[in-house]
Protein backbone atom coordinates (compact mmCIF):
# COMPACT_ATOMS: atom_id res chain seq x y z
CA UNK A 1 0.00 0.00 0.00
CA UNK A 2 1.28 3.48 -0.89
CA UNK A 3 0.52 6.34 1.47
CA UNK A 4 1.46 10.00 1.57
CA UNK A 5 3.92 11.58 3.95
CA UNK A 6 2.05 12.03 7.22
CA UNK A 7 0.63 15.52 7.76
CA UNK A 8 1.50 16.86 4.30
CA UNK A 9 -0.76 19.47 2.67
CA UNK A 10 -0.04 20.94 -0.77
CA UNK A 11 -1.26 24.38 -1.91
CA UNK A 12 -2.65 24.89 -5.40
CA UNK A 13 -1.16 27.68 -7.50
CA UNK A 14 -4.23 29.77 -6.61
CA UNK A 15 -4.00 29.16 -2.87
CA UNK A 16 -6.25 26.55 -1.23
CA UNK A 17 -5.00 23.07 -0.40
CA UNK A 18 -5.51 20.80 -3.38
CA UNK A 19 -4.04 19.59 -6.67
CA UNK A 20 -2.79 22.03 -9.34
CA UNK A 21 -5.65 24.51 -9.67
CA UNK A 22 -8.44 22.44 -8.12
CA UNK A 23 -9.07 22.69 -4.36
CA UNK A 24 -9.78 19.37 -2.65
CA UNK A 25 -11.46 18.25 0.58
CA UNK A 26 -8.01 17.86 2.14
CA UNK A 27 -7.26 20.63 4.57
CA UNK A 28 -4.47 22.18 6.58
CA UNK A 29 -4.51 20.82 10.14
CA UNK A 30 -5.17 22.99 13.19
CA UNK A 31 -2.12 25.19 13.93
CA UNK A 32 -0.42 24.03 10.73
CA UNK A 33 1.09 26.64 8.38
CA UNK A 34 1.80 25.98 4.70
CA UNK A 35 3.88 28.50 2.75
CA UNK A 36 4.27 28.14 -1.01
CA UNK A 37 5.95 30.01 -3.85
CA UNK A 38 5.47 29.41 -7.59
CA UNK A 39 7.21 30.75 -10.68
CA UNK A 40 5.12 30.63 -13.86
CA UNK A 41 6.27 31.15 -17.44
CA UNK A 42 3.93 31.45 -20.43
CA UNK A 43 5.19 31.60 -24.04
CA UNK A 44 4.00 34.43 -26.29
CA UNK A 45 3.56 33.45 -29.95
CA UNK A 46 3.71 35.52 -33.13
CA UNK A 47 3.12 33.80 -36.49
CA UNK A 48 3.68 30.41 -34.88
CA UNK A 49 7.00 31.28 -33.23
CA UNK A 50 7.79 32.05 -29.61
CA UNK A 51 8.90 35.67 -29.35
CA UNK A 52 8.90 36.16 -25.57
CA UNK A 53 7.64 34.83 -22.27
CA UNK A 54 5.40 36.31 -19.62
CA UNK A 55 6.66 35.53 -16.13
CA UNK A 56 4.75 35.66 -12.85
CA UNK A 57 5.54 34.96 -9.25
CA UNK A 58 2.94 33.72 -6.75
CA UNK A 59 3.19 33.35 -3.00
CA UNK A 60 0.72 31.52 -0.77
CA UNK A 61 0.22 31.23 2.99
CA UNK A 62 -2.40 28.83 4.40
CA UNK A 63 -3.17 28.41 8.10
CA UNK A 64 -5.27 25.93 10.05
CA UNK A 65 -6.60 28.79 12.10
CA UNK A 66 -9.13 26.86 14.15
CA UNK A 67 -10.90 23.52 14.04
CA UNK A 68 -12.16 22.55 10.56
CA UNK A 69 -11.15 25.89 8.98
CA UNK A 70 -8.35 26.71 6.56
CA UNK A 71 -7.64 30.40 5.92
CA UNK A 72 -5.10 31.65 3.43
CA UNK A 73 -3.80 34.47 1.28
CA UNK A 74 -2.58 34.59 -2.33
CA UNK A 75 -0.28 37.32 -3.57
CA UNK A 76 2.01 38.02 -6.48
CA UNK A 77 3.13 40.28 -9.27
CA UNK A 78 0.04 39.47 -11.37
CA UNK A 79 -2.51 40.85 -8.89
CA UNK A 80 -3.82 44.39 -9.22
CA UNK A 81 -5.59 43.98 -5.86
CA UNK A 82 -2.35 43.13 -4.04
CA UNK A 83 -3.51 40.16 -1.92
CA UNK A 84 -6.54 37.87 -2.14
CA UNK A 85 -8.06 35.84 0.70
CA UNK A 86 -9.22 32.19 0.55
CA UNK A 87 -11.27 30.24 3.10
CA UNK A 88 -12.17 26.54 3.28
CA UNK A 89 -14.46 24.74 5.73
CA UNK A 90 -13.97 21.00 6.25
CA UNK A 91 -17.55 19.64 6.37
CA UNK A 92 -17.10 15.92 7.03
CA UNK A 93 -14.95 12.81 6.78
CA UNK A 94 -16.01 9.26 7.58
CA UNK A 95 -13.97 6.82 9.64
CA UNK A 96 -13.24 4.27 6.93
CA UNK A 97 -9.72 3.12 6.12
CA UNK A 98 -10.00 5.06 2.86
CA UNK A 99 -12.20 8.00 3.89
CA UNK A 100 -14.62 10.15 1.91
CA UNK A 101 -14.30 13.86 2.72
CA UNK A 102 -16.34 16.93 1.81
CA UNK A 103 -15.32 20.60 2.00
CA UNK A 104 -16.71 23.96 0.93
CA UNK A 105 -14.86 27.19 0.37
CA UNK A 106 -14.57 30.69 -1.03
CA UNK A 107 -11.73 31.74 -3.34
CA UNK A 108 -10.28 35.12 -4.31
CA UNK A 109 -12.03 37.29 -1.74
CA UNK A 110 -11.10 40.84 -2.70
CA UNK A 111 -10.87 40.18 -6.44
CA UNK A 112 -12.76 42.42 -8.84
CA UNK A 113 -13.52 39.55 -11.24
CA UNK A 114 -12.66 36.09 -9.86
CA UNK A 115 -14.59 35.65 -6.60
CA UNK A 116 -15.98 32.10 -6.47
CA UNK A 117 -17.48 29.50 -4.14
CA UNK A 118 -16.94 25.75 -4.38
CA UNK A 119 -18.03 22.40 -2.99
CA UNK A 120 -15.71 19.41 -3.40
CA UNK A 121 -15.61 15.73 -2.46
CA UNK A 122 -12.40 13.71 -2.08
CA UNK A 123 -12.00 9.95 -1.80
CA UNK A 124 -8.90 7.86 -1.11
CA UNK A 125 -8.48 4.39 -2.60
CA UNK A 126 -6.00 1.61 -1.98
CA UNK A 127 -2.81 1.66 -4.02
CA UNK A 128 -2.13 5.39 -3.70
CA UNK A 129 -5.02 6.81 -5.77
CA UNK A 130 -6.90 9.89 -4.55
CA UNK A 131 -9.93 11.09 -6.57
CA UNK A 132 -11.72 14.45 -6.36
CA UNK A 133 -14.92 15.93 -7.79
CA UNK A 134 -16.71 19.20 -7.25
CA UNK A 135 -18.28 22.40 -8.54
CA UNK A 136 -16.99 25.95 -8.63
CA UNK A 137 -19.37 28.91 -9.03
CA UNK A 138 -18.14 32.35 -10.08
CA UNK A 139 -20.50 34.85 -8.50
CA UNK A 140 -19.47 38.24 -9.91
CA UNK A 141 -21.20 39.87 -12.89
CA UNK A 142 -23.32 36.74 -13.50
CA UNK A 143 -23.50 33.31 -11.88
CA UNK A 144 -21.35 30.82 -13.77
CA UNK A 145 -21.00 27.29 -12.35
CA UNK A 146 -18.40 24.84 -13.69
CA UNK A 147 -17.38 21.30 -12.77
CA UNK A 148 -14.01 20.25 -11.35
CA UNK A 149 -12.46 16.80 -11.62
CA UNK A 150 -9.03 15.61 -10.52
CA UNK A 151 -6.87 12.81 -9.23
CA UNK A 152 -3.46 12.17 -7.74
CA UNK A 153 -1.54 8.93 -7.81
CA UNK A 154 1.34 8.29 -5.44
CA UNK A 155 4.08 6.34 -7.19
CA UNK A 156 5.98 6.26 -3.92
CA UNK A 157 5.04 7.62 -0.50
CA UNK A 158 6.82 10.89 -1.37
CA UNK A 159 6.23 11.18 -5.13
CA UNK A 160 2.90 11.92 -6.80
CA UNK A 161 1.54 12.43 -10.30
CA UNK A 162 -1.55 14.66 -10.47
CA UNK A 163 -4.07 15.92 -12.98
CA UNK A 164 -7.10 18.17 -12.77
CA UNK A 165 -9.70 19.54 -15.16
CA UNK A 166 -11.45 22.75 -14.18
CA UNK A 167 -13.77 25.10 -16.03
CA UNK A 168 -12.37 28.48 -17.02
CA UNK A 169 -15.96 29.35 -18.01
CA UNK A 170 -19.07 27.47 -19.09
CA UNK A 171 -17.66 26.80 -22.58
CA UNK A 172 -13.98 26.01 -21.93
CA UNK A 173 -12.19 23.62 -19.60
CA UNK A 174 -8.52 23.58 -18.67
CA UNK A 175 -6.45 20.40 -18.39
CA UNK A 176 -3.56 20.69 -15.93
CA UNK A 177 -0.91 18.03 -15.31
CA UNK A 178 1.96 17.92 -12.85
CA UNK A 179 4.15 16.15 -10.37
CA UNK A 180 5.14 16.60 -6.74
CA UNK A 181 8.11 15.35 -4.75
CA UNK A 182 7.87 15.56 -0.96
CA UNK A 183 11.43 15.81 0.33
CA UNK A 184 10.45 15.33 3.98
CA UNK A 185 7.62 16.32 6.34
CA UNK A 186 8.44 20.00 5.81
CA UNK A 187 9.44 20.58 2.17
CA UNK A 188 8.15 19.72 -1.34
CA UNK A 189 8.86 20.58 -4.97
CA UNK A 190 6.11 21.01 -7.58
CA UNK A 191 6.30 21.03 -11.40
CA UNK A 192 3.15 21.75 -13.44
CA UNK A 193 1.89 22.29 -16.97
CA UNK A 194 -1.35 24.28 -17.09
CA UNK A 195 -4.04 24.60 -19.74
CA UNK A 196 -2.82 21.78 -21.98
CA UNK A 197 -6.29 21.01 -23.34
CA UNK A 198 -6.06 23.39 -26.34
CA UNK A 199 -2.87 22.43 -28.25
CA UNK A 200 -3.86 24.67 -31.16
CA UNK A 201 -3.74 27.70 -28.84
CA UNK A 202 -0.33 27.24 -27.26
CA UNK A 203 -0.18 30.82 -26.04
CA UNK A 204 -2.49 29.74 -23.20
CA UNK A 205 -0.13 27.03 -21.96
CA UNK A 206 1.73 27.90 -18.75
CA UNK A 207 4.57 26.05 -17.08
CA UNK A 208 5.23 26.34 -13.37
CA UNK A 209 7.79 25.26 -10.82
CA UNK A 210 7.27 25.80 -7.11
CA UNK A 211 8.19 24.90 -3.58
CA UNK A 212 6.13 24.59 -0.42
CA UNK A 213 6.97 24.33 3.26
CA UNK A 214 4.84 22.81 5.98
CA UNK A 215 5.14 23.58 9.70
CA UNK A 216 3.20 23.47 12.95
CA UNK A 217 3.07 26.47 15.29
Amino acid sequence: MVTTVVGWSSPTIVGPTGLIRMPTADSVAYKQVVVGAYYLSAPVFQKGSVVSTENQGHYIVNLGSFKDWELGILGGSFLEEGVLVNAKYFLMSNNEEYPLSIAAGVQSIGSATDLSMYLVTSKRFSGGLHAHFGFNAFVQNKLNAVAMLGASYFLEENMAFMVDVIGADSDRYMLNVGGEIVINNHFAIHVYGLDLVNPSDKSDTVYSIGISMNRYI
Side-chain angles (χ1 to χ4, degrees):
M1 180 179 65
V2 179
T3 57
T4 61
V5 173
V6 175
W8 187 259
S9 300
S10 296
T12 63
I13 65 165
V14 291
T17 300
L19 298 174
I20 302 169
R21 285 188 59 93
M22 177 184 176
T24 66
D26 301 315
S27 184
V28 175
Y30 177 56
K31 292 188 177 181
Q32 187 179 31
V33 178
V34 176
V35 179
Y38 290 97
Y39 173 82
L40 298 93
S41 180
V44 177
F45 286 78
Q46 287 185 4
K47 298 181 179 179
S49 300
V50 177
V51 295
S52 65
T53 58
E54 295 179 350
N55 301 319
Q56 296 179 1
H58 294 198
Y59 66 87
I60 295 152
V61 180
N62 289 330
L63 171 65
S65 55
F66 45 96
K67 185 179 172 74
D68 296 331
W69 278 95
E70 172 186 311
L71 299 178
I73 60 171
L74 168 69
S77 58
F78 67 104
L79 285 176
E80 295 181 359
E81 297 90 349
V83 174
L84 303 180
V85 177
N86 299 304
K88 181 194 292 188
Y89 181 64
F90 190 70
L91 293 170
M92 64 150 281
S93 179
N94 58 33
N95 295 320
E96 297 178 359
E97 181 180 3
Y98 303 107
L100 174 72
S101 304
I102 301 175
V106 182
Q107 291 188 107
S108 301
I109 300 171
S111 171
T113 58
D114 295 328
L115 177 66
S116 68
M117 298 182 293
Y118 63 86
L119 179 68
V120 64
T121 299
S122 298
K123 172 68 176 177
R124 295 188 181 187
F125 297 92
S126 62
L129 177 65
H130 298 186
H132 313 274
F133 177 76
F135 294 94
N136 190 37
F138 297 94
V139 297
Q140 288 169 302
N141 298 323
K142 64 177 182 178
L143 182 64
N144 181 23
V146 296
M148 304 184 293
L149 179 67
S152 59
Y153 180 73
F154 286 83
L155 308 172
E156 302 289 344
E157 68 174 11
N158 63 338
M159 183 180 299
F161 171 80
M162 57 187 64
V163 59
D164 63 35
V165 178
I166 185 169
D169 52 48
S170 58
D171 298 321
R172 191 171 83 86
Y173 279 75
M174 299 172 60
L175 171 66
N176 310 305
V177 176
E180 172 184 280
I181 299 175
V182 180
I183 305 302
N184 53 40
N185 283 338
H186 304 297
F187 183 77
I189 299 172
H190 315 268
V191 179
Y192 302 141
L194 298 98
D195 201 4
L196 304 178
V197 73
N198 296 311
S200 62
D201 186 11
K202 294 182 185 299
S203 60
D204 286 338
T205 300
V206 177
Y207 300 97
S208 171
I209 185 168
I211 59 173
S212 59
M213 293 174 286
N214 195 317
R215 295 280 182 175
Y216 283 89
I217 58 175

